[in-house]
């Protein structure tokens, strides 16, 4: 359920390689890399079962439709299996959901059947605008609606995830990204309907999960031992 995120602008090649190794070791759903790193990620992760995702119109969403379509086509040709695109935030705030829908549909077409996750960047939107963005995304054929880039003033919130889950059909997933740094935060958002998570702390969260599962197994084992009758009473 985790898209391991490697999108910070200052990441060096060595840091990207280390992040790709983390995604492979922990079995992430995907690694979401900067467009320039798609080729490297595809080569490094070939055969691992970890898909390569990337971003379009990132992080501000203000590129033209033609630019986003061209970017998508180039990245798909380079091997990207999933596309996270940022909407034209200002146009949605203007009330022009039609333009937003047309742009998403054009990117979906350019992706050629690969999942497109639509980043609404909720920090800038009213609840009404979030709902409108979700509806436009679903009509345009998006696979997911996504809360945030992680580069605005705020990220995923419980209220936003619940609202987005309510605003799309079960056919559309909800991706929570931005500030999902702990296992408890992830599990809370999962209960509210998020089905994919963008995170940089993948290793810490999954190490925490492994420890909890081990503790649970140990507790169950000890509990079972305590409930066994003494040997002479069996």
């Amino acid at each position: 359920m985790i898209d391991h995120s490697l999108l910070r602008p200052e990441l060096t090649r060595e840091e990207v390689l280390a992040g790709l190794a983390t995604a492979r070791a922990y079995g992430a759903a995907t690694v979401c890399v900067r467009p320039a790193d798609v080729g490297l990620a595809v080569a490094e992760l070939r055969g691992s079962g970890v898909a390569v995702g990337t971003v379009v119109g990132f992080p501000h969403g203000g590129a033209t439709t033609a630019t986003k379509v061209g970017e998508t086509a180039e990245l798909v040709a380079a091997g990207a299996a999933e596309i996270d695109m940022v909407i034209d935030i200002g146009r949605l705030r203007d009330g022009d959901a039609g333009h937003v829908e047309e742009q998403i549909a054009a990117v979906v077409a350019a992706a050629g059947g690969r999942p497109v996750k639509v980043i609404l960047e909720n920090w800038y939107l009213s609840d009404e605008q979030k709902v409108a963005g979700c509806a436009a995304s679903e009509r345009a054929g998006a696979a997911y609606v996504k809360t945030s880039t992680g580069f605005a003033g705020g990220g995923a919130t419980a209220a936003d995830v619940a609202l987005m889950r309510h605003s799309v059909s079960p056919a559309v997933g909800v991706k929570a990204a931005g500030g999902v740094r702990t296992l408890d935060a992830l599990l809370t958002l999962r209960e509210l309907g998020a089905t994919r998570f963008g995170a940089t702390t993948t290793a810490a969260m999954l190490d925490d999960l492994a420890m909890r599962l081990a503790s649970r197994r140990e507790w169950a084992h000890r509990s079972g031992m305590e409930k066994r009758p003494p040997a002479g009473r069996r």
Side-chain angles (χ1 to χ4, degrees), residues 36 53 58 60 103 154 175 205 219:
F58 194 87
H60 302 304
Q103 189 173 84
K175 178 175 175 179
M205 289 193 293
W219 178 87

Side-chain angles (χ1 to χ4, degrees), residues 17-32:
L17 287 170
L20 297 175
T22 295
R24 178 194 288 268
Y26 284 87
T30 78
V31 59
C32 192

Side-chain angles (χ1 to χ4, degrees), residues 2-220:
I2 297 177
D3 295 341
H4 186 56
S5 179
L6 297 171
L7 296 171
R8 296 200 317 271
E10 77 279 12
L11 291 177
T12 64
R13 178 183 173 87
E14 289 305 310
E15 289 168 333
V16 171
L17 287 170
L20 297 175
T22 295
R24 178 194 288 268
Y26 284 87
T30 78
V31 59
C32 192
V33 297
R34 301 169 302 194
D37 297 323
V38 168
L40 174 64
V42 169
E44 290 294 317
L45 295 175
R46 186 171 287 114
S48 69
V50 180
V52 176
T54 191
V55 290
V56 164
F58 194 87
H60 302 304
T64 65
T65 298
T67 298
K68 290 180 182 179
V69 166
E71 195 173 7
T72 301
E74 178 183 0
L75 295 171
V76 164
E82 297 190 1
I83 299 292
D84 290 31
M85 69 159 289
V86 187
I87 65 164
D88 190 325
I89 303 161
R91 294 290 286 271
L92 183 59
R93 295 184 70 224
D94 280 336
D96 193 355
H99 170 79
V100 173
E101 181 180 340
E102 289 173 5
Q103 189 173 84
I104 296 167
V107 170
V108 168
R114 295 161 185 81
V116 172
K117 309 186 196 86
V118 176
I119 306 172
L120 301 181
E121 199 68 291
N122 289 335
W123 174 257
Y124 298 115
L125 305 177
S126 67
D127 283 355
E128 182 180 2
Q129 290 161 349
K130 295 166 194 173
V131 170
C134 285
S137 299
E138 180 158 16
R139 289 193 301 266
Y144 293 83
V145 288
K146 179 176 171 181
T147 60
S148 327
T149 62
F151 289 86
T157 68
D160 280 349
V161 168
L163 178 65
M164 293 167 77
R165 180 67 276 164
H166 181 73
S167 300
V168 294
S169 76
V172 179
V174 176
K175 178 175 175 179
V180 185
R181 298 188 180 94
T182 67
L183 180 60
D184 286 327
L186 184 152
L187 293 174
T188 295
L189 296 176
R190 180 172 179 261
E191 287 298 314
L192 293 169
T195 50
R196 193 74 75 85
F197 301 89
T200 58
T201 57
T202 302
M205 289 193 293
L206 295 182
D207 285 345
D208 187 4
L209 176 62
M211 289 178 61
R212 295 188 195 193
L213 292 174
S215 295
R216 182 179 296 178
R217 287 192 294 268
E218 177 65 18
W219 178 87

